[in-house]
Amino acid sequence: MRLTSKISAAVLAVLCTATGFAAPALADDPIPGGDPAPAPPPPAYNVRYTVTADKPVNAEIYYRDTDPPSFSDYSHDPYVFSPNAEAAVGPNKPWVLEATLTDPMQWGMVLVQATGSLPKATAGFNCTMEINGQVVKRNSGPKGALCSLRNW
């Protein structure tokens, strides 16, 4: 019985094609002349930035927690897409931020530098950037540190 049903369906499809009749639309088929199905959203990545210092210091931290719509939007006003925070950091006092980005290879970034009266050369900054729990960048520097996969 199953074989007969399959053969009947195949014959019906051939006849519809040969005679110009349209086969019935299935629920998943797009409506002719209708809007195309929307594209699935791009994958989102969890990005975690961590900043510390070898000695207690007040730091100014710039980071990216939003993907710019386009590079031209970013280049028109990069500070709109690169907020900053001031935080006291040290060896046991990290600054941590988690963000969701669709293109962390392009837009993931954290930059730290000293503020206040502490000589910048004595801070010893450290930064780490993780994507979905995997460390992808580490950097350290006496005056500041930049963690990014893109060469700025």
Side-chain angles (χ1 to χ4, degrees), residues 26-117:
L26 300 176
D28 292 343
D29 289 345
I31 299 170
D35 292 333
Y45 297 91
N46 177 267
V47 179
R48 181 181 185 145
Y49 306 117
T50 304
V51 171
T52 63
D54 296 340
K55 298 178 182 175
V57 63
N58 290 326
E60 186 166 21
I61 304 164
Y62 289 89
Y63 56 92
R64 190 128 332 100
D65 62 353
T66 303
D67 292 88
S70 68
F71 188 79
S72 63
D73 289 328
Y74 170 77
S75 62
H76 177 70
D77 193 356
Y79 292 103
V80 168
F81 302 102
S82 304
N84 72 323
E86 290 190 16
V89 296
N92 296 314
K93 193 172 183 180
W95 175 89
V96 178
L97 179 89
E98 293 205 24
T100 302
L101 298 174
T102 56
D103 191 357
M105 300 290 285
Q106 174 82 3
W107 299 114
M109 184 272 309
V110 65
L111 169 81
V112 59
Q113 61 188 16
T115 63
S117 61

